[in-house]
Amino acid sequence: MKQEYTNKKFVKTVILLVVIMMTLTASLGYMLDPSLYYRLPKHYTYFSEAFTTAGLMKNSPAEIAIVGSSMMQNTDMDLVRNEFGQRAVKYTRSGMNIDEITMLIDRATSLEKNNVDKFILNIDMTTFNSEPSSPYDKFPKYLYDENKINDIKYLLGFETWTKFIPFNFVYNTSINFDTPITNKVVNTFSKTTNIDLMGDWSFGTQFSEEIVKSKYENNLESVSKQNIDGMYERMKQRFDKEFYPVIYNNTDKEFMIILPPYSALMWYEAEKQGYAEILFDFKKYMVTRFSGLDNVKIYDFQDYEGIINLNNYKDTTHYIPEFNDMMIKSLAVSKNVIDVNNVDTRISNLKNIVLKFKTQHKKWL
């Protein structure tokens, strides 16, 4: 009997200790808050766009949100603020697809504390040709819902305690010492102290025709292969079912949709694979569908003359930061807007640029 009592007491003691440890750990996680989920401190470091974006949505006072893939990650946020005269924040992730974009817009517009009334977002049209996927494959769902209880996954989470908090500690310790090792740590992670640079991949990136040509010829970072069987109908269906309703249901928000300036080489390859015309048709469809919404403007940079110069690229799609600057300046003055009245002309312009590119580079294409 005494042995049974001792065993029960031991179990209760262990459970109590576990509860105490979990409570202390969660409390410390709340205070340190490495993903800025509960507050925006004066000094911070961040390590994951997927985690940090959830915090920015709740705590940033911005009126403008930059949303999208690597096409938008190099956006100069100070330029956005200067051009529009409003506060701005980035919700970006490399390879962001249409499922993730719609989820982020849904989440931002549902938060009472979120002040964003203008969304600047890029559309990579081929994402409409992919199969629907869960946006929470990359984004932690428990940070993007209204359930407070499951936030414990963040406070006690693997990423929080094995990545974010340790790196945060190492960085903030290193800045107080002047040694080769600590200086290397500071230089490596200093970018993470500037939230405007989150996801920015331009630092140290080389842009040149030689690099692009080499990657293309060696099938490195090549143009994605597309399933062209039923492609147009599939793209229309996903647009109508998933993307259009999100925009339509938020008529009190302004949406500035960017069609980014991929290189002419990308369009040449799309033409070779047999889906360039499908993208042109889908662009026309998208422009027509949005023509009835006063809160939407589409800005087309696909026929920008600079796409013919491969020195502006690191591969077939990723361009120099100056292109991001050009696009923001154009948006600020409503330049390069595409609508039902000029969509055919803009498509024709792009085709002519691609034809010119093929003529100039016919020796190696």
Side-chain angles (χ1 to χ4, degrees), residues 338-355:
I338 186 172
D339 56 33
V340 291
N341 297 312
N342 66 5
V343 61
D344 289 324
T345 300
R346 301 297 295 272
I347 291 173
S348 179
N349 290 344
L350 176 53
K351 289 180 178 180
N352 289 334
I353 290 174
V354 176
L355 180 61

Side-chain angles (χ1 to χ4, degrees), residues 249-268:
N249 292 331
N250 287 287
T251 54
D252 58 327
K253 309 293 184 183
E254 181 180 355
F255 294 91
M256 309 177 85
I257 299 175
I258 289 175
L259 301 179
Y262 307 131
S263 75
L265 178 58
M266 193 289 294
W267 287 105
Y268 163 78

